[in-house]
Amino acid sequence: MWRVMVPDRLDTLPRHRRALIAAIDWTRLADPEARRLRELGFDEGVGVEVLHRASIGGGPIACRIGRMTVALRRAVAASIHVAPLAG
Amino acid sequence: MHAAPLVALVGNPNAGKSALFNALTGARQKVGNYPGVTVERHSGRMVLDDGRPIELVDLPGAYSLDPSSPDERVTRDVVTGRGGFERLPDALVVVVDAANLDNHLRFTLQLIALGVPVIVALNMIDLAERDGLVLDPAVLERELGVPVVSTVAVRRRGLDELRAKLSPLLGGHPVPAVDRVEENIVVLQRRARTIAAAATVSETPARRWAHWLDAVALHPVVGPLLLVAILFVMFQAVFSWAATPADMIDVAFGGLEGWVRETAPDGFWRSLVTDGLIAGVGAVIVFLPQILILFLFILVLEASGYMVRAAFLMDRLMATVGLSGRAFIPLLSSFACAVPGIMATRTIEDEKDRLTTILIAPLMTCSARWPVYTLIIGAMIPNIQVLPFVRLQGLVMFGLLVMGVAGAYVAALLLRRTVTKGASSGFMMEMPKYQWPRWQDIGIGLWTRAMIFLKRAGTIIAATTVVLWLLLSFPKPPPGSNISPVDYSIAGRIGNGIETVVAPIGFNRDIALALLPAMAAREVAVSAIGTVYAIDDAEGESGTRAISDRLRGRWSLPTALAFLMWFVFAPQCISTIAVTRRETNGWKWPAFMVGYLFVAAYVMAGATYWLAVAVGL
Ligand SMILES: Nc1nc2c(ncn2[C@@H]2O[C@H](COP(=O)(O)OP(=O)(O)O)[C@@H](O)[C@H]2O)c(=O)[nH]1
Ligand SMILES: [Mg+2]
């Protein structure tokens, strides 16, 4: 049995599911957004975890990166591809 | 040769630069938790152990040398010796959050590469320990190649060592800034992570209780309810806690006035002092307790780390008008005063976003409006119970507050589609760690606010009140004539002129007279009305209570409501206009702001008046 590996995106990652950033689609982001994201430490291979979602329909999400909690909008989170860690 | 070497505190937002600055210099500065609370230049003096004095500057927080907001630009320009903001510092104290090394070291690496002598303050080591993180400063020192000192700025720990290690860096020959700095953030970030990992002795997952707190504060349903509850308690407290101290101030000014009346001979000077100065300034100072209570809440919300959570919750709503949650913080501050609110917009990166926030900030019900609202509502609205726990006066007050917010909402919506059109800006913020506010810092913040307020009352407000009093008193009508003294005076004649403009929206001459000096500051309207009536009716007693009695006799309810509505919108505040000019670098935007707000005020006040007349109030 086999299945296609569809990488999850940060905006759809279930809460409290640890994951590694697989790739960031920088082209989908506006320049200042991309830079801020880098400045906050988002990078391939870094661990992330979604902690909170502001509201059911489309509010920002709060995620843990390193020892920091960072708030970002879902549209931005959607350009961050993640690979969930086992367990 | 400059007298004292210049040392700059640099680092990411919330690393503790301002706290360290306060600890090292003893200078007064607001300490907040919102990234980038430091938006002005703060400098102070400290003395090294060998007695050498040093000038210390607290630079705005930045994430890198690639600025994305005006305050980050200041930081970049100072540390690279550009821009003429400052001479090139002789040394940099790079402040890093020990619990956040991955991130803060990246900027540190950039700064070290500049070539200016650097010392690293490994700050908030107490919070790192609280959260189960053990670090080895010696490893950091080796990897970075610069001195590293562990500090706890708020407990004044590590300061002696910092001073001792700073001393040898100040050799006396200024170092030219190196222009070539590693630009690639990702490369720097990877190095930072490697170094952070090497310096970490042991680590346990971050604090449980903070996660638990956030699970409540950021919960999709509970979070917004909690925010509304906090805001409700805040506004409730402003009115209930302030009653007693406000009464005491009122009594004190009444006493002072009585004493002057008894001791000084009757005449021009006595009248100037009692009717003009004491009554005018007193009518405003009564509101000091309310303002301080409001600022107390705002400072505590900032210092505890909650403010950014509130921004997170508000982002969705703000996005509907093309703003971001970030704008919520300056707007909330604007409830106390638009001036610090407008200055706090400097942390908004997007230019259009920032401009919109500045333009709508004056619509938040700032504390200068309360004297006006309280007086008019107290005099004209019956305090009947409309619902359990809800009285009509309170309801009207709340209605005015909501009116301001609704006005701001509509204004933002329209502005973002016209003059400040642009792509909707993003929202990306680091959430600071929760912690207990430190009462010393809150105390300093409140003290600063109180002083600014009292200075305003003692200068702008006192001066406009006295000038108005003079214009109202002269020339005196010839003896025996039956023209009222006010009608005959210079101010009265100006007032009659303005009245023709504002008569269509239901304003009488007394209001027209009060509007002009209230351009300086809204509160002046209260003392101006008081002065008009005191001069018109010289035998009567003065004071806030007396003003209310006179209002009841002379104003109709529709006029009073229109007057309140006017103050929701009218940009009657010189300080706000001045700070807008400064923050937008020119007269274009303040002129636009004044224009659109006056039009809104006129239209809304007129609509209120005619609607009230139509329904027979
Ligand atoms: N526990 C603890 N809190 C600190 C320390 N240094 C600063 N803080 C707090 O961290 C918050 C941010 O500090 P601040 O000086 O405003 O940071 P800045 O943005 O770098 O100027 C404030 O609430 C400070 O009271 C520290 O060493 N230990
Ligand atoms: Mg600061």
Side-chain angles (χ1 to χ4, degrees):
Chain A
M1 202 179 117
W2 60 277
R3 61 192 179 112
V4 184
M5 268 297 291
V6 183
D8 283 299
R9 295 177 328 195
L10 189 59
D11 62 326
T12 54
L13 189 70
R15 278 181 64 195
H16 301 308
R17 180 77 184 275
R18 282 160 196 273
L20 291 181
I21 297 180
I24 300 177
D25 189 354
W26 299 111
T27 55
R28 285 187 46 169
L29 298 167
D31 276 355
E33 263 172 354
R35 195 186 49 224
R36 198 47 114 203
L37 210 55
R38 287 198 190 96
E39 285 174 352
L40 289 170
F42 285 84
D43 186 13
E44 283 162 30
V46 176
V48 281
E49 175 186 350
V50 174
L51 298 175
H52 308 280
R53 296 180 197 279
S55 59
I56 335 291
I61 63 172
C63 57
R64 187 191 53 75
I65 176 147
R67 298 182 73 90
M68 247 189 323
T69 308
V70 171
L72 41 94
R73 288 208 175 144
R74 292 196 190 190
V76 173
S79 58
I80 301 173
H81 298 276
V82 294
L85 294 173
Chain B
M1 213 29 227
H2 286 285
L6 181 71
V7 173
L9 289 165
V10 222
N12 288 40
N14 280 319
K17 296 176 295 299
S18 304
L20 197 60
F21 175 82
N22 287 345
L24 286 170
T25 61
R28 315 224 135 144
Q29 162 159 353
K30 186 178 153 202
V31 181
N33 224 339
Y34 173 54
V37 119
T38 313
V39 288
E40 291 185 316
R41 177 181 193 265
H42 293 273
S43 82
R45 296 211 147 230
M46 64 178 266
V47 181
L48 291 180
D49 298 334
D50 56 14
R52 264 190 299 169
I54 283 181
E55 186 182 3
L56 196 66
V57 290
D58 179 16
L59 292 178
Y63 289 95
S64 69
L65 287 174
D66 187 7
S68 60
S69 67
D71 51 342
E72 285 195 11
R73 197 162 311 128
V74 171
T75 299
R76 195 259 330 254
D77 288 351
V78 171
V79 299
T80 55
R82 275 187 267 179
F85 289 110
E86 197 95 61
R87 58 195 153 110
L88 182 68
D90 297 275
L92 303 178
V93 176
V94 179
V95 187
V96 300
D97 174 357
N100 222 336
L101 275 186
D102 282 12
N103 225 292
H104 289 203
L105 282 184
R106 187 194 54 238
F107 189 29
T108 309
L109 287 169
Q110 273 190 319
L111 291 166
I112 292 173
L114 287 174
V116 178
V118 164
I119 180 167
V120 171
L122 187 57
N123 195 38
M124 308 220 202
I125 205 83
D126 57 330
L127 289 185
E129 280 163 8
R130 179 188 85 183
D131 299 342
L133 182 68
V134 184
L135 297 169
D136 185 351
V139 173
L140 263 188
E141 207 158 67
R142 201 179 59 226
E143 295 289 326
L144 294 173
V146 299
V148 175
V149 178
S150 302
T151 59
V152 181
V154 293
R155 309 256 177 283
R156 312 180 62 87
R157 258 165 55 192
L159 300 189
D160 290 338
E161 197 189 344
L162 185 69
R163 268 190 294 260
K165 288 197 174 173
L166 180 60
S167 191
L169 297 184
L170 300 166
H173 15 260
V175 188
V178 183
D179 247 6
R180 273 225 16 87
V181 177
E182 176 62 75
E183 293 287 347
N184 190 333
I185 277 188
V186 174
V187 172
L188 281 172
Q189 181 66 72
R190 292 190 181 149
R191 255 181 74 205
R193 264 203 300 275
T194 316
I195 297 176
T200 303
V201 177
S202 70
E203 175 175 26
T204 52
R207 54 260 117 108
R208 258 174 218 298
W209 61 271
H211 281 177
W212 183 83
L213 265 182
D214 266 344
V216 177
L218 303 181
H219 188 275
V221 179
V222 182
L225 290 177
L226 182 70
L227 177 59
V228 169
I230 289 174
L231 294 182
F232 179 81
V233 169
M234 175 167 116
F235 286 112
Q236 185 67 34
V238 163
F239 292 101
S240 50
W241 300 357
T244 312
D247 278 346
M248 281 157 54
I249 295 174
D250 204 23
V251 168
F253 271 89
L256 184 65
E257 194 180 326
W259 178 78
V260 174
R261 259 182 221 293
E262 272 161 31
T263 40
D266 193 7
F268 170 79
W269 289 107
R270 192 182 83 175
S271 171
L272 173 67
V273 170
T274 53
D275 301 335
L277 212 54
I278 299 181
V281 173
V284 170
I285 291 189
V286 193
F287 292 91
L288 182 62
Q290 291 193 341
I291 288 160
L292 289 185
I293 292 169
L294 191 63
F295 270 113
L296 173 70
F297 273 85
I298 288 177
L299 289 169
V300 168
L301 290 182
E302 268 187 356
S304 63
Y306 182 76
M307 202 60 125
V308 178
R309 271 79 185 176
F312 177 83
L313 295 172
M314 292 301 290
D315 183 60
R316 183 84 203 293
L317 188 62
M318 306 290 286
T320 59
V321 291
L323 293 176
S324 81
R326 215 177 246 276
F328 175 74
I329 300 170
L331 291 177
L332 188 63
S333 303
S334 299
F335 273 101
C337 175
V339 173
I342 288 174
M343 292 196 315
T345 62
R346 284 191 209 168
T347 55
I348 299 177
E349 293 143 40
D350 184 87
E351 203 45 51
K352 297 282 174 53
D353 209 341
R354 170 160 185 251
L355 193 56
T356 315
T357 313
I358 291 178
L359 291 174
I360 63 172
L363 285 168
M364 302 296 118
T365 306
C366 72
S367 45
R369 285 177 175 98
W370 300 343
V372 183
Y373 290 178
T374 315
L375 175 75
I376 307 295
I377 291 178
M380 306 296 295
I381 308 283
N383 199 16
I384 47 173
Q385 195 98 28
V386 281
L387 286 170
F389 301 111
V390 180
R391 286 173 178 277
L392 190 57
Q393 289 190 346
L395 199 64
V396 172
M397 190 83 184
F398 184 70
L400 292 169
L401 222 120
V402 171
M403 206 52 224
V405 174
Y409 188 89
V410 173
L413 202 67
L414 296 178
L415 291 171
R416 283 299 259 166
R417 275 165 180 64
T418 54
V419 288
T420 58
K421 191 151 67 198
S424 116
S425 57
F427 174 68
M428 220 183 278
M429 272 181 107
E430 176 186 343
M431 298 209 174
K433 290 181 279 291
Y434 283 113
Q435 64 175 312
W436 282 113
R438 304 203 347 115
W439 298 110
Q440 295 94 310
D441 295 337
I442 305 285
I444 290 172
L446 284 181
W447 173 259
T448 315
R449 282 292 144 208
M451 285 300 124
I452 292 172
F453 178 80
L454 291 176
K455 216 173 115 198
R456 227 163 95 91
T459 54
I460 302 184
I461 293 170
T464 29
T465 309
V466 169
V467 168
L468 178 69
W469 186 88
L470 289 173
L471 291 178
L472 276 168
S473 307
F474 298 102
K476 295 243 180 273
S481 91
N482 54 2
I483 306 175
S484 88
V486 168
D487 275 332
Y488 200 80
S489 69
I490 302 175
R493 294 170 207 199
I494 300 175
N496 286 332
I498 302 178
E499 193 195 349
T500 54
V501 180
V502 293
I505 59 171
F507 287 6
N508 55 30
R509 190 215 51 200
D510 306 337
I511 297 181
L513 266 177
L515 289 186
L516 199 61
M519 241 355 261
R522 295 180 177 91
E523 312 89 302
V524 174
V526 169
S527 52
I529 292 172
T531 313
V532 173
Y533 291 151
I535 289 178
D536 230 6
D537 154 24
E539 314 84 72
E541 40 151 6
S542 54
T544 323
R545 225 151 270 141
I547 303 179
S548 306
D549 292 339
R550 295 198 184 101
L551 280 180
R552 270 192 283 276
R554 299 182 202 217
W555 290 25
S556 70
L557 188 54
T559 294
L561 292 175
F563 185 72
L564 290 172
M565 193 56 89
W566 172 272
F567 270 92
V568 170
F569 292 93
Q572 310 237 92
C573 174
I574 289 209
S575 319
T576 303
I577 298 170
V579 77
T580 305
R581 197 206 70 82
R582 202 177 76 201
E583 296 297 311
T584 59
N585 281 321
W587 281 109
K588 181 178 159 200
W589 290 111
F592 176 80
M593 183 169 96
V594 169
Y596 103 86
L597 287 173
F598 266 135
V599 170
Y602 196 85
V603 170
M604 291 303 289
T608 307
Y609 179 74
W610 290 107
L611 197 70
V613 169
V615 301
L617 286 177

